[in-house]
Amino acid sequence: MATQPQLDGRFALVTGGSRGIGFAIAEALSSRGARVAIGGRDASRLIAACQRLGDRALGIQGDVSDPRAAQALVDGAAAGLGGLDILVNNAGVGLFGNVADMNPDDWNKVLTTNLSGVFYCTRAAIPHLRTRGGWIVNISSLAGINPFATGAAYCASKAGLDAFTEALMQEVRHEGIRVATVAPGSVATEFSGRRRDEGADWKLSAADVAQVVVDLVGHPPRSLPSRVELRPSRPRK
């Protein structure tokens, strides 16, 4: 049996890390030995998440859709942890509706969080990663390549994220920074107001996505798995 990659001495920031996929990723990174900072907008959720993660975790409040807050989040994580080796851009929102009926504020909220927020955090993280090497992992969605009705804003944000990630990967790969997209299908979480157990009998779990992330960042330096698509094995017919 292959041994699981250990991440002792590595420092990671997971945005949107207080619940759902983000929390599962932070928990998996910590279980492999990394020190982890989690970002989020809700202070009470951050406190509760850090209590669950233990004394190796650091919670930092901030909204990634605000460029100043994103910069403070990344710099605060690097200062609090002692460096930065891994950035997981996971923070995201899902607001759905027909284009004709969508409020422009909802459109902007989806795009600024899911796409601009990744840009803000990534731009802030690159100087830290240049000094140590490391990973940027962007959590996308199969919705980026499989658009659906009522999902115009969300699908556009993830399609843009996929293109952004591909371009970024080519820009920084010679600086010791590896960049990858993880694109899951349906995941049983509370995302977009759903019940956490809704579809749990067939959907992916947050832990499934986390497994992919920790396996990615444990790859030998010579390899770069740049995109992973993750689907339920037996989706609902």
Side-chain angles (χ1 to χ4, degrees):
M1 180 182 294
T3 58
Q4 295 183 328
Q6 294 304 305
L7 302 172
D8 299 278
R10 308 285 289 280
F11 305 126
L13 167 62
V14 182
T15 68
S18 65
R19 59 178 177 165
I21 291 173
F23 179 82
I25 292 170
E27 190 173 42
L29 290 167
S30 181
S31 73
R32 301 282 181 92
R35 287 204 60 207
V36 179
I38 56 174
R41 292 178 296 179
D42 189 305
S44 62
R45 284 181 177 155
L46 283 171
I47 292 169
C50 285
Q51 288 174 341
R52 292 172 63 192
L53 289 170
D55 58 8
R56 297 176 64 84
L58 172 68
I60 305 175
Q61 188 176 11
D63 185 347
V64 299
S65 67
D66 179 326
R68 289 189 179 87
Q71 183 76 52
L73 172 61
V74 172
D75 290 344
L81 295 173
L84 188 64
D85 304 289
I86 301 163
L87 169 66
V88 181
N89 284 305
N90 167 77
V93 297
L95 300 173
F96 302 94
N98 293 328
V99 171
D101 303 320
M102 178 166 275
N103 185 307
D105 289 341
D106 288 346
W107 169 271
N108 288 329
K109 185 175 182 179
V110 173
L111 270 292
T112 55
T113 303
N114 296 4
L115 184 54
S116 296
V118 174
F119 163 69
Y120 300 145
C121 290
T122 298
R123 184 173 181 274
I126 286 174
H128 298 287
L129 294 170
R130 278 177 174 154
T131 66
R132 298 172 63 94
W135 278 93
I136 299 170
V137 180
N138 294 333
I139 306 302
S140 185
S141 169
L142 291 179
I145 57 173
N146 298 302
F148 55 89
T150 74
Y154 185 74
C155 296
S157 73
K158 294 303 186 178
L161 177 58
D162 290 347
F164 172 85
T165 307
E166 174 71 21
L168 174 68
M169 181 270 290
Q170 296 183 45
E171 288 178 12
V172 300
R173 63 194 302 183
H174 293 293
E175 299 181 74
I177 304 172
R178 290 180 285 177
V179 180
T181 301
V182 175
S186 299
V187 184
T189 69
E190 296 170 345
F191 183 72
S192 192
R194 293 191 295 260
R195 297 193 325 271
R196 185 167 52 186
D197 61 350
E198 183 179 335
D201 58 325
W202 65 272
K203 290 181 178 181
L204 299 167
S205 72
D208 295 330
V209 183
Q211 177 76 46
V212 171
V213 174
V214 294
D215 287 346
L216 269 176
V217 300
H219 264 260
R222 65 179 176 274
S223 66
L224 174 54
S226 57
R227 179 177 175 85
V228 179
E229 295 182 1
L230 187 65
R231 295 172 170 79
S233 296
R234 300 182 67 179
R236 186 173 53 193
K237 292 184 177 179

